[in-house]
Structures are given as C-alpha cells and as structure tokens.
Amino acid sequence: MIKQLLIGLLSGAAVLTAGILIGHYGITHSSGSAPSWINDVAKDVDESLIEKFLSEVDNIQIQENLRELTKVPHMATTAGDEKTVQFMLKRWQDSETGLDQAWREEYMVYLSFPDPKKPNKVTVVNASETVLYAAREKEKSYTSDQDDPEVVQPYAAYSPAGHAKGKLVYANQGKPSDYQELNQTIDLRGTIAITRYGGAGRAAKAINAAVYGVLGVLVYTDPLDINDGLMSDLNETYPHSWYLPPSGVERGSFNSHFGDTLTPYLAAKEETYRIPVENVTGFPPIPIQPIGFEDAYKLICELAGEAAPASWQGAFNCTYSFGGPGFRNTSEFSDSDVKLDVFNYEEVKNSSNVMGVIRGSVEPDRYVIYGNHRDSWVHGAIDPSSGTSVMLELTRVLGQMVKQGKWRPRRSIIFGSWGAEEFGLIGSAEYTEQYFTKLSERTVAYINVDIAVFANATLRASGMPSVQNLLFTAAKQVDAPGLDSTSVYDNWIRYFNRTSPARGVIPRVGYLSGAGSDYAAFVHYLGITSMDLSYTYDRSKTNARIYPAYHTAYDTFDYASKFIDPGFVSHQAIARTAGNVLIRLADSLVLPLNCSDYAESLEDYLQSAVTLYEGQLKARNISMEPLKRAVSSFRSAASHLDQVIHSSDLANETPLKVRRINDQLMLLDRAFLDPLAFPDKYAYRHVIWASSSAGRPTFPGLADAYAHAESSAQSSDWDKVHYHLSVLSQAIEGAAHTLVDVI
Amino acid sequence: MIKQLLIGLLSGAAVLTAGILIGHYGITHSSGSAPSWINDVAKDVDESLIEKFLSEVDNIQIQENLRELTKVPHMATTAGDEKTVQFMLKRWQDSETGLDQAWREEYMVYLSFPDPKKPNKVTVVNASETVLYAAREKEKSYTSDQDDPEVVQPYAAYSPAGHAKGKLVYANQGKPSDYQELNQTIDLRGTIAITRYGGAGRAAKAINAAVYGVLGVLVYTDPLDINDGLMSDLNETYPHSWYLPPSGVERGSFNSHFGDTLTPYLAAKEETYRIPVENVTGFPPIPIQPIGFEDAYKLICELAGEAAPASWQGAFNCTYSFGGPGFRNTSEFSDSDVKLDVFNYEEVKNSSNVMGVIRGSVEPDRYVIYGNHRDSWVHGAIDPSSGTSVMLELTRVLGQMVKQGKWRPRRSIIFGSWGAEEFGLIGSAEYTEQYFTKLSERTVAYINVDIAVFANATLRASGMPSVQNLLFTAAKQVDAPGLDSTSVYDNWIRYFNRTSPARGVIPRVGYLSGAGSDYAAFVHYLGITSMDLSYTYDRSKTNARIYPAYHTAYDTFDYASKFIDPGFVSHQAIARTAGNVLIRLADSLVLPLNCSDYAESLEDYLQSAVTLYEGQLKARNISMEPLKRAVSSFRSAASHLDQVIHSSDLANETPLKVRRINDQLMLLDRAFLDPLAFPDKYAYRHVIWASSSAGRPTFPGLADAYAHAESSAQSSDWDKVHYHLSVLSQAIEGAAHTLVDVI
C-alpha cells in the first residue's frame, strides 16, 4: 500500500512534472514568450539615477576644469585654442570618465584678426599730423593674465583695414535714429563717430554711419551701461570688484550674419565653393575700432557742439555733446581730428569642433545634443569656459556611469564643443550645414549652455515653449546655490515670472529669436527644439548690460572665482539643472516636450497680432481669419495629443506607438520651417522665432512686413504682409496636421 | 481494478492538467509573457495575400469603371468633373468595397478656358479682311462622344486672349534653334508662326517666338509625329485605327511651371495670398492656338519661301517651306495674312482632390501614397481615366479585404484622385503644399499611375533607383497580357533593358526628372521616393510620340476599348503590378527599397560628369574630388546598410531597430533636397533628379551650370559650376551620413 502510494505519488509527480513541462513549453502562448528586449523598450527615466547624477556633480571639479581651460588665451584657431581641443579630446577619450567616442571636425573658415606687428591705432592729430593723444593699444595689467603675449589687441573683427580721419561726433548707440538725429544739426560727411555699446548690433553701428558719409567709427562701453556708473580702478573696478577697469575693451565680431561668411549653407571644407568677398553683405563698410572708456572719456568730454539729449548721456562727469563736429575751441584738441588706423586682415583658417557621443541603447537614432563653444576672445573664463567647465563635469559624471556599466541612455547623446563661435557662431553653423539631413531627421532637442554663470542670483532660461515644463521639472529637483531648502525653481520664479492661463504663475522662459549663441543654427536653420540656460543677475542690484569683463582681458579665472561665482556653486546648479534636462530628454519613454504650452505661446502671439494689426488689415481687405483658424487648429490638435499621451498605457503598448508620439513631439518645430520666408536673412527659416526688427511681441515675419508696409509709400508692400499671413497660417496648420492622429 | 484504474487515470489526468496549468500560467517567463502585439510588429508581407490580390484584379471591372468615368467630358471644375468626384466618393465610401475613409479637399486655383460664346478663330484673310479660309472650331464627329456639347473647343490653356495678324512662317517645333534659323532669312517681326508639337514645351513655342517679334503662334500635330504618316479618315485614321483623324487637336496647358500659378508654395485656399498676375512668368506672352493637321496642311503647303531643312519636313505631300513670309504668289491665299483670334479667359475656380485612406495597423504614421489625376481635357478615356479605372479596381479589391476583416496593411495607404492636373499638376501640388511637413516626415513612397495603358506591348516604369528591385519583384509575379507563361518582367526586359554592373541585364527603369505627371511635386518638392508605371508601345511598330488621340475628343471609351486595350488585359496587368508594389510597400517588415541601386545611378552620373567636365574644370582649378569622394562615401554607406539588413534577424529584434532601418530607407531621398539650389525653378529641390536643359545624362544643376558657363563670356559663371559641385557633394555626403550606423 505504501509502495503503491509511493508509486502513485511518484507517478503523480511525474505526471505533474510532465504537465508542467507541457504547459511551459508545449502550449504555444498567444504570442510566444517575451523576447529579452521587451523591458528595455518600455523603460522610462530612472529617478534614482537622476538623484545619483545630481549628487555627483561637483563644484570643485568645475572649478578645476575652469582653471585648466583658462591657463592661456584661446581665441579661435590659435595655439591656445588647440590646447583646449587636446584637453577636450583627452577628457572625452578617458577610459574611466570619457564618452563612447570623441573626435574633431575641421572647417576652413573666414576669420579676421588685428596685425600683431601693426597694432590698430586711435589718435588725436592736429593739422600738422602731430599726435596729441593716443588711445591705449592694450588693456592695463592687474594680474599676470593681462601680460600674456597672446592677449589679442582689442579690435572689431571684420572691420575693414583702412585709415580714416575726421572731426569727431558723438552718435550715442549708433542706431539709425541716432545718426538721423545727429544729421539734423551736423553734416556727418567726413566725420568720425564715437558710439557706445548697446542698442544696435556691433556691425550696425558702422553700417548705419556709412549711410551719412561718416568715415570711421569708435565704440566703447560706457560705465553707465556696464559699471552702474563706477569708473575708478583705484577702488571701484576690478580687481576691487567685478566692474570693468577703465582700460577694458569689449572685443567682438562685427559680422551681421552667422556661420562662415564665404560658404553660406555649405560646410566650409577645403574645396567648397566660396562666394567672392566683394559679394559679402553684413560686414562694416568703414573702419571701426573699440576702445576703453578711459580713452572715450578723454574724447567725449572735449567735444564741442550742442549738448546731446538726456537719453544719450552716459556716466562721465561731463555733458556729452554732439561734437562741433570736433572738439571745443578751449580744448587741448581744438581743431584736431581723430584718426583711426585699422590693420585688420582676413584669413581662411582651420577651426575645430570637438565632438563626443554616448550611444543610445534603445533608440540610438534619436539624438539629444548638448553644446557650447570652446573659443574665447582672451582667457574667456566666463565666456565660454564657464559653460565648457560645466559640460566637462556633465560628461565626467555621465561618462563614468557609462564606463562602469551602470547606465546607457535610451537615446544617443551628442556633445559639441564648437569652434569660432566668437566670430559668428561658425563651428555650430558649419556642423548643422554638414549634417543637415541627419540632424533634422533625428534630433530630439538641443541644449546650449554658453556663459553658464553671468551672476549668481537666479536661473535664466530661454527656449521653445514645449521645453518649459521640462525645465520646471528639472529646476525643482536642484537646490538653489546659497539658499537653504529653496529649489532653483522656487528661486527662479521670484526673479522671472508670468501668469500662464493654463499653469498659473510660473517662471518666465524667454524665446530664442536671435543669434546670441550656438543655438541659432539649431533653432533657425534646422527647427530643432532648443533651450539656452544660465545663472544670472539680480536686476535690482545692477544695470550692467552684461557681466562687466565680457570679451575683455579681465575675463579670467581670477575674476570668475572671486567675483562671478565664488565656490562655483552657481556653476554646479547649472550643471545639475542642465544635466537633469539632458537625462530626461535622453531617457524618458515619452519625450518630455509639451505641445499645449506651444499652443499658449501661439495664442499669445496671435492676440498681439490681432490687437496690433487687424484694424488696418481689414481696411486693406486682408483677413486674419486663416491665422486665427490655424492657431485654433493647433490648440485642438495639441490638446488631443496630450490626451492621447495621458490616457495611454504606453509602457505596455507597442513600442511603435510610443515612437510615433515621440516623432510627433520631436518634429513639431520642423513644421514651422520655411526656407523661402526670409530670403534676405541667412539661415532664418523658423517662422515663429525668426529675428525681427519691428520690436513687437508677435510673429516676426508678419511684424516686420507690417512695419515696413506702414512706413512705405508702396501699396504693394501690403502684399508682403498678406504673404506672411499665408506663410504663417500654412505653417501653423501644417504643424497642427502633424499633431492630430496620424491618419 | 477497472474502477481503480479509472480513478488512477482520472486523478493522473487531473494532476497532469494541474501541471499544465501551473506550467502555462505559474512560471514567470524570462521577461514576462509576450504581449499580444509582438507578432503584429514582426509580421512581414504575406505572399498568399498577394496571390489572392492578383487573382481578384478583374479586367471587366476595370472596363466598367472606364465606361462609367467616360460617360461625359470631365475637364477640371466642370459639371462632368463633379460627377467623377461623386463617383469616386461613392466607391471609396462603399460599405463593402470602400476604404476606411474618403473625403474631398478643395482648392481655389487659377485656370484658363476658351469662351464658349466667342470661339477662338484661325483664319486666312486678305487685305480687305475677307476670310478666305477658316480653321475648324471643333473636331469632326465619328461617334456621339464628339457631339457632346461639353466637348471643350481646342485651345491653349493660359494663352493670353488677343488678336494677331501677320504673314505666316513655318517654324518647325518652335525651339530656340528653329526660330534662330528662320530668323536668318526672314524678318520675323509681325509674323504668325506655325509649329508642330514636339521638341519643345508647349509654352516654349510661344515664348521662344516672342523674342523675335512674332505676334502669334499656331501649333498642330504632324501626321509624321503621331500617325506614322497616315492621314486619311476614309480608311486610315480613327475610327478605322488608333490614328488621329485630320481634325483632331491636342489641347494642353501652356504653363511652363506646375502647381497653382498664383500661390507658389502655398495651398490655394480662398484667403491665401496670390501673386499679381502681372508677376507671373511661364505663360505664353503672345496668343497661341492649336489646330488639326487638316488645317495645318492647307496653310503649310501654300507657304512661299525657301524649302525648310529635311529635319523640318513632316508627312504632308508637299515641301514644307519657311514662308515668304506668307503664302506663294500662286496660292489662293497669295498676299493674305493669317489671323488669330483668341478669347481665352482666366478664372479662379474650385477644384477638388478626392482622398481615401486605409489605416495602417502597426505603423499608421507611415504612408504609402498612390495617386492619379481625375480631370481630363475631354472624355479622357486614356488620359487619365485608364489610370483611374485601375486605381478603382485596386481600391475595390483591397477595400473588400479590409471590410471583410481579412487584411489591414502594416502602414497606412493614402489614395489621391487629383484635380486639375491637365492645367499643370495643380491638385497634387496643392496637396503637397498644404501637408508638406506631414507628408515629408511620413511618406514611404508615392506610386503614380496616370495613363495606365498607352499601348499594350510592354511595361514601362520610371522612378528613383531604389525602387527598381521592388518593381522587378512585382513584375515577375504578374502574367504578361496576351502571352503564354511569360511574366510582365520577362516581356519588359525584351523592350527596355540595360546592363547593371551589379545585377547584369535587367529592365531599364527611367528617371523622373521632369514634371510630366503628378509625381512631380512628390519627387521634386518633397523628395519622396516615387515611381510612375504604365503599359506602352512596341517602338518597332510605331513612331507616334504618344497615343494619337491624346488630349483630343477621340480619347473615348470606344477608342480605348477598340484600339488601346481590347479586353482590358493590359489595364489588368498594370493594376496587378502596381497593386503588388503597393502591398509590398505597405506590408513589408523592411521597406523594399534598395540603396545600393541608388549608388549605381550616382556612380553612373558621376562617370558622365567626369568624362564631360573634368578636363575643363581642372583647367579652371575647380576640383571634382569632393564629388567623387561623396559618391564613394554613398556607395560604402549603402553597402554597409545592405549588409546590416541582410545579416540581421529583424523579425526577432526590437521593432525599433526595424523602424530605424526603415527610416533610413524612407528618408533617403529627402537628403537630396536643397530648397535654394534652383532659385528660378518652382519647387525643384531634388539635386539629383531636377529637370535640366543641358541634355546630359548627369547631375542636372551641374550640367546646366556647365552648359551656361561654356556658352557665356563671363568667367563668374564658372562660379556657379563650382557652387553646384559643392551643393551636390554636400547633399550626397549628407545622404551617406544618413545610411551609416546611426551614431
């Protein structure tokens, strides 16, 4: 019986086992057993990984990155620049903290330099050519940094070489209206104009002047605009504070366009077709040279003529006058001319981007790009090395996780260390030209962190409206530097805020309508959803138009570590915020881009346009209804897509559904591109965010066409307004079509 | 014992069952059990479904479709056109054989018509304005079709209205060289030129003439070019054969560009901006009118002057002379003028596309588009209704499978029945403008079947090189009409063939470099991989430049069923071939597009370019090396992608890997778009297939720039050659970048 029982049990067990085996292997599952990749494709962002990342971002590492990067001046294509190329490559190819791959990409680009053997000169000369006064040729030394022989003489890149001599006039900011006003009392032909930075683009100050027969232009930074009025290097300016010393001079590119000038839309390779230099537009037509306010003071305070209007007055302790033209009779410079000798030369030189990648695991064909330029004017501790130091800290932390096998992003991450940005965003623009199709098809977003820290008060962010919420999410998880238990988000909202109809009071995210940094080609030429992040000022504490050492020989490690961000905690906050954004873009199952926030911005622009233009347009029989309908279609489509996202259990649906939605989100900005809408503006194709001169908070093409038509005698100029309305309506409707159900 | 055994068996069965249940449900699989969608995403094209499709395509259904479509003339925007709209909608909305959805899309487009109350006239008048001869105003009736009051008078659409009178000259085909030659012996100012169809575009015949002061142009179809010389309607021409009766007149659009003329790049909606008509280029500047060869014979054989060259002679039994200008002294028309009275008017009219879709199951956001126009000049049995009849048979068979739940394609299929093609591919162009972004992002391919059957000898196909192999696969599975056990492929290769370095002797697939049918906007504006299919002539049997009833009142059901395709078996073969291609594009796991075949075409073009241009370019210091490197990069990248496809077990890998490869294949042609490369050619953006006037089998922009530079005195024209080399090199390198591993 026992035996029988045993046999029974054993045979029962055998039968059970057989049954289990049959059940497990023998019965075809509805769809077979699950393949190994199934968990990977459904994986979402890992919050614990983000926490780990945040905790590992180290301020001291950033400080040491900056120290290394700023040892010598590293202007584009110089030996110092090459040193930074090697440094980036070394770091990104490091076997323990580097990326999967890093390499350089070279372009032959058109640059402009002063002649080290024949320095540019600004002098006051009398009738017998005796030099009565000579402006400084280099900035005064306060640390050994300024003594480096590689400090480039202050100059206006792309100013033509040439010699100009004439009576001096003061032309405020060199805007068209400034010269127009000046021209009402003074015959500007044959004069030299001195202008202050601000109000108009650098090149514009010379372009606007040439119209009136001005022969040469000087530009300086008024202490009112940069130093909150302070001027003395005995106790007020650097090295006593962050303010600009009297001899400090802002260098810069005086090219109106971005990208390599000779190869528009083509990557500047050796054998690429180059347009003849004489066909180039956008360079100053007359010599222009920047000087320090120490010299500007000497010149302006001696000027004869009517007192300039109150809005033209700066911080000097004298009345700014128009100029006789020329100096007062009582001046030591009486009857003298100002003479401008510019020896700049242009040269096609080899500039490098340094590129690095972390390969995506699930969707390697989706790219999140993070970039900053590498080249500076002098040591560039803040511009751009603050951003580069932050980028290097991000790649160290992320690279280490990859090398240790702890992480691989869902999507690929591309890091770009751009060359020759200071000459006109050249490295990034050439990169987008060379890889136009690939980048257009696959890039999820571009993150730009150039000057990471202007000042240590608050986050500032600009970007397409769809990234707003992602920025909020990231900023809420980062501690604000120097504040107890306050997040970057909570601090931010105190400084910049607005009321959103949908979200209530939120931080104000700016728009990327200009070409201020390397996001320009990504935004305007490729229509890639982009953002630009930095830490910045408390505007209640300073009116400086930018940090005072900008583009001068004082933008050094010493300056940055003493006056911009002691302890590098704001750098750390930016690194954490930008890195958090980067990881979320790379790892989220559904891309963290919000199209309803885009709809809100379009509605905002529409409302402004209707308020500003509809009356006049109706009178001209031009209807704004198609634009209204388009914005309304966009809103409906965006709400619908949001609803699809929120009501779907995407982790359990086919990965092709998630991909489809992500493609809709990724490609949204592409729908706003029109390569023919702005024929006179190189690479501006994004009809919502293109640059505009009309100064209206609405659609740029429409605003500019309207402003032009309003001031024009030709009724056919209203056709252009109608044209831009149609372009916009079609683009916005087209974008809406991409957000509705795919068929 | 039996009871025990029974219990034992039963309990054993229960234990086994329990085991099976445990095995089936109780053991966690390595990655959980597979979700239900997993088989769907890995599914490939089903060959048995293709067999079923092929067997169900019915020639009699096609015949009946054609009968219905050709009951009345259906010129764009007429009542007859609206009837066809309703017919398409009824068929596509049918609950048993229709599509998932069908609807109309309307555009307000700029059309040109003759005035029914004031017919256009061509007369011979003497000095006292007495009419000595009047050309026919309508074609002669042979069936009741020609008596339909809706048969539009023969006219040249977009010819300006106007009255021209002058001595007649014979200008051959109206090419620039024809007028140039004529002008050497005759002062063309004030004359009327008679030209024959062929050799130059329709509008060009008038545009080229106006340069020499010609006042008006006549155009006719010479029996040599269309009838293999036959002329008599007593026994030689229709209704006795397929040849054109003496009174037959080819109508056509005399617009040089395609798309709605007043709204370039914008969908022509009611409130869309329209360019002023006076800014339009591409219309004939002087009146032009087509006539039958019956009338042309009367005029040409009476001409005075030198005998025209041999190549100008047609089939008339007289010597074609230049004209005195004017008629021979011995002629009844001696000293008389030819007078041309054109009363055409232009009007913005509402034209419809009819759209239908079958929603994709797995990748609804991928579109295969199949289209043909719906509008004809008169009854349009061949052009376009042969194609429409074929399309309707495809949608019947496919629609039925969908409605019966037997099939749903992996990708979405969009059917387009375009409006107003005859006026310049308007419906399809407006569609691509309106949905530019969505279509660019998602369209896998466009299949065009316009005139499905020109003649019943062989398949003819044109398309991007990447579709070649797909066409071969499909054509091998279809029986050639009228031949025993011969496939469409085997028959095809007898008529058109070439030797491919990689594939040996294969059928020759043409290129889509012009704007001959609705593929133009897809190819040139959107860069969508496209193809155009038809059944066509045995060129050893006829020299007709096209089927003789083309664009005349004789293109009727009677004509088609008697002389083009009795039994509709060639229609059936096209329906089967095109449908097979369509199903494969819609259902294949990996898109059946081959990038190595594209490389072969690029290599071919490169070789021609090097042979034709390199010597001269070297002498001008313009290097072709970047272009050579680009083509070589493309070849390597294509080989690599091919290898990845063939070495992967894609059905068992993540669906995102298949999608990635398919995106590479789908977007390949997009990489060749450059919206700025051809600033003077509306919507031509594809730098490989753009139209060219140089007549060289190589890259069009390069060929045209070279031809221009060669004939120009300005050395700066060689800059354009260099520019096009750079544009091409960058585009081809850019395409190669998209084919290599994605990161």
Side-chain angles (χ1 to χ4, degrees), chain A residues 432-448:
Chain A
T432 61
E433 289 171 345
Q434 180 169 6
Y435 298 101
F436 181 84
T437 304
K438 186 164 99 165
L439 296 176
S440 299
E441 290 170 359
R442 300 178 187 164
T443 309
V444 158
Y446 175 67
I447 304 167
N448 195 66

mmCIF file of all heavy atoms in Angstrom, chain A residues 432-448:
data_model
loop_
_atom_site.group_PDB
_atom_site.id
_atom_site.type_symbol
_atom_site.label_atom_id
_atom_site.label_comp_id
_atom_site.label_asym_id
_atom_site.label_seq_id
_atom_site.Cartn_x
_atom_site.Cartn_y
_atom_site.Cartn_z
ATOM 1 N N THR A 432 25.892 72.102 -38.529
ATOM 2 C CA THR A 432 24.500 71.877 -38.962
ATOM 3 C C THR A 432 24.391 71.862 -40.481
ATOM 4 O O THR A 432 23.512 71.200 -41.030
ATOM 5 C CB THR A 432 23.531 72.941 -38.405
ATOM 6 O OG1 THR A 432 23.913 74.237 -38.876
ATOM 7 C CG2 THR A 432 23.509 72.925 -36.897
ATOM 8 N N GLU A 433 25.258 72.576 -41.154
ATOM 9 C CA GLU A 433 25.230 72.533 -42.619
ATOM 10 C C GLU A 433 25.723 71.181 -43.128
ATOM 11 O O GLU A 433 25.139 70.574 -44.018
ATOM 12 C CB GLU A 433 26.082 73.670 -43.192
ATOM 13 C CG GLU A 433 25.418 75.024 -42.983
ATOM 14 C CD GLU A 433 26.299 76.214 -43.329
ATOM 15 O OE1 GLU A 433 27.529 76.046 -43.466
ATOM 16 O OE2 GLU A 433 25.757 77.327 -43.439
ATOM 17 N N GLN A 434 26.809 70.711 -42.506
ATOM 18 C CA GLN A 434 27.374 69.440 -42.979
ATOM 19 C C GLN A 434 26.434 68.260 -42.725
ATOM 20 O O GLN A 434 26.313 67.371 -43.567
ATOM 21 C CB GLN A 434 28.720 69.189 -42.295
ATOM 22 C CG GLN A 434 29.360 67.880 -42.758
ATOM 23 C CD GLN A 434 30.794 67.736 -42.305
ATOM 24 O OE1 GLN A 434 31.316 68.558 -41.551
ATOM 25 N NE2 GLN A 434 31.444 66.682 -42.758
ATOM 26 N N TYR A 435 25.782 68.263 -41.574
ATOM 27 C CA TYR A 435 24.948 67.113 -41.194
ATOM 28 C C TYR A 435 23.468 67.466 -41.198
ATOM 29 O O TYR A 435 22.688 66.881 -40.444
ATOM 30 C CB TYR A 435 25.395 66.591 -39.824
ATOM 31 C CG TYR A 435 26.816 66.095 -39.835
ATOM 32 C CD1 TYR A 435 27.846 66.877 -39.327
ATOM 33 C CD2 TYR A 435 27.137 64.862 -40.408
ATOM 34 C CE1 TYR A 435 29.165 66.438 -39.367
ATOM 35 C CE2 TYR A 435 28.442 64.414 -40.456
ATOM 36 C CZ TYR A 435 29.450 65.200 -39.934
ATOM 37 O OH TYR A 435 30.753 64.770 -39.977
ATOM 38 N N PHE A 436 23.114 68.386 -42.052
ATOM 39 C CA PHE A 436 21.753 68.936 -42.063
ATOM 40 C C PHE A 436 20.666 67.856 -42.003
ATOM 41 O O PHE A 436 19.798 67.862 -41.141
ATOM 42 C CB PHE A 436 21.551 69.804 -43.309
ATOM 43 C CG PHE A 436 20.192 70.419 -43.387
ATOM 44 C CD1 PHE A 436 19.931 71.605 -42.718
ATOM 45 C CD2 PHE A 436 19.162 69.823 -44.098
ATOM 46 C CE1 PHE A 436 18.665 72.178 -42.761
ATOM 47 C CE2 PHE A 436 17.898 70.383 -44.143
ATOM 48 C CZ PHE A 436 17.652 71.567 -43.475
ATOM 49 N N THR A 437 20.713 66.925 -42.952
ATOM 50 C CA THR A 437 19.622 65.952 -43.067
ATOM 51 C C THR A 437 19.569 65.044 -41.850
ATOM 52 O O THR A 437 18.507 64.842 -41.244
ATOM 53 C CB THR A 437 19.794 65.103 -44.329
ATOM 54 O OG1 THR A 437 19.883 65.981 -45.445
ATOM 55 C CG2 THR A 437 18.621 64.181 -44.531
ATOM 56 N N LYS A 438 20.712 64.511 -41.495
ATOM 57 C CA LYS A 438 20.765 63.576 -40.372
ATOM 58 C C LYS A 438 20.276 64.247 -39.086
ATOM 59 O O LYS A 438 19.462 63.685 -38.350
ATOM 60 C CB LYS A 438 22.208 63.106 -40.216
ATOM 61 C CG LYS A 438 22.424 62.044 -39.211
ATOM 62 C CD LYS A 438 23.783 61.383 -39.394
ATOM 63 C CE LYS A 438 24.789 61.956 -38.427
ATOM 64 N NZ LYS A 438 25.986 61.089 -38.341
ATOM 65 N N LEU A 439 20.749 65.444 -38.841
ATOM 66 C CA LEU A 439 20.359 66.141 -37.611
ATOM 67 C C LEU A 439 18.879 66.509 -37.644
ATOM 68 O O LEU A 439 18.182 66.415 -36.632
ATOM 69 C CB LEU A 439 21.216 67.389 -37.412
ATOM 70 C CG LEU A 439 22.707 67.121 -37.210
ATOM 71 C CD1 LEU A 439 23.469 68.437 -37.114
ATOM 72 C CD2 LEU A 439 22.962 66.281 -35.964
ATOM 73 N N SER A 440 18.403 66.952 -38.810
ATOM 74 C CA SER A 440 16.987 67.324 -38.918
ATOM 75 C C SER A 440 16.092 66.138 -38.637
ATOM 76 O O SER A 440 15.048 66.260 -38.003
ATOM 77 C CB SER A 440 16.671 67.822 -40.322
ATOM 78 O OG SER A 440 17.423 68.958 -40.628
ATOM 79 N N GLU A 441 16.499 64.991 -39.133
ATOM 80 C CA GLU A 441 15.649 63.811 -39.027
ATOM 81 C C GLU A 441 15.645 63.206 -37.628
ATOM 82 O O GLU A 441 14.696 62.534 -37.248
ATOM 83 C CB GLU A 441 16.125 62.746 -40.024
ATOM 84 C CG GLU A 441 15.848 63.131 -41.454
ATOM 85 C CD GLU A 441 16.526 62.225 -42.481
ATOM 86 O OE1 GLU A 441 17.239 61.275 -42.081
ATOM 87 O OE2 GLU A 441 16.353 62.474 -43.678
ATOM 88 N N ARG A 442 16.709 63.406 -36.880
ATOM 89 C CA ARG A 442 16.885 62.586 -35.680
ATOM 90 C C ARG A 442 17.039 63.345 -34.369
ATOM 91 O O ARG A 442 17.067 62.721 -33.311
ATOM 92 C CB ARG A 442 18.126 61.702 -35.858
ATOM 93 C CG ARG A 442 18.013 60.793 -37.051
ATOM 94 C CD ARG A 442 19.261 59.970 -37.246
ATOM 95 N NE ARG A 442 19.182 59.219 -38.489
ATOM 96 C CZ ARG A 442 20.212 58.650 -39.094
ATOM 97 N NH1 ARG A 442 21.421 58.736 -38.550
ATOM 98 N NH2 ARG A 442 20.057 58.004 -40.218
ATOM 99 N N THR A 443 17.173 64.669 -34.426
ATOM 100 C CA THR A 443 17.484 65.363 -33.181
ATOM 101 C C THR A 443 16.238 65.707 -32.384
ATOM 102 O O THR A 443 15.341 66.386 -32.862
ATOM 103 C CB THR A 443 18.307 66.634 -33.465
ATOM 104 O OG1 THR A 443 19.408 66.283 -34.283
ATOM 105 C CG2 THR A 443 18.802 67.244 -32.168
ATOM 106 N N VAL A 444 16.226 65.251 -31.184
ATOM 107 C CA VAL A 444 15.130 65.452 -30.258
ATOM 108 C C VAL A 444 15.165 66.875 -29.692
ATOM 109 O O VAL A 444 14.137 67.536 -29.570
ATOM 110 C CB VAL A 444 15.254 64.394 -29.137
ATOM 111 C CG1 VAL A 444 14.543 64.818 -27.898
ATOM 112 C CG2 VAL A 444 14.787 63.047 -29.657
ATOM 113 N N ALA A 445 16.348 67.337 -29.337
ATOM 114 C CA ALA A 445 16.467 68.677 -28.754
ATOM 115 C C ALA A 445 17.931 69.091 -28.712
ATOM 116 O O ALA A 445 18.834 68.246 -28.754
ATOM 117 C CB ALA A 445 15.883 68.711 -27.343
ATOM 118 N N TYR A 446 18.138 70.384 -28.642
ATOM 119 C CA TYR A 446 19.483 70.934 -28.460
ATOM 120 C C TYR A 446 19.509 71.766 -27.188
ATOM 121 O O TYR A 446 18.651 72.627 -26.972
ATOM 122 C CB TYR A 446 19.888 71.815 -29.658
ATOM 123 C CG TYR A 446 21.229 72.505 -29.445
ATOM 124 C CD1 TYR A 446 22.403 71.755 -29.380
ATOM 125 C CD2 TYR A 446 21.321 73.887 -29.269
ATOM 126 C CE1 TYR A 446 23.635 72.360 -29.160
ATOM 127 C CE2 TYR A 446 22.550 74.502 -29.060
ATOM 128 C CZ TYR A 446 23.699 73.730 -29.004
ATOM 129 O OH TYR A 446 24.925 74.333 -28.775
ATOM 130 N N ILE A 447 20.509 71.499 -26.358
ATOM 131 C CA ILE A 447 20.689 72.247 -25.111
ATOM 132 C C ILE A 447 21.965 73.064 -25.247
ATOM 133 O O ILE A 447 23.039 72.506 -25.522
ATOM 134 C CB ILE A 447 20.839 71.288 -23.904
ATOM 135 C CG1 ILE A 447 19.639 70.340 -23.822
ATOM 136 C CG2 ILE A 447 21.010 72.081 -22.606
ATOM 137 C CD1 ILE A 447 19.870 69.169 -22.869
ATOM 138 N N ASN A 448 21.866 74.357 -25.054
ATOM 139 C CA ASN A 448 23.034 75.220 -25.151
ATOM 140 C C ASN A 448 23.328 75.813 -23.778
ATOM 141 O O ASN A 448 22.437 76.368 -23.130
ATOM 142 C CB ASN A 448 22.744 76.362 -26.146
ATOM 143 C CG ASN A 448 23.992 77.092 -26.594
ATOM 144 O OD1 ASN A 448 24.839 76.506 -27.274
ATOM 145 N ND2 ASN A 448 24.109 78.365 -26.233
#
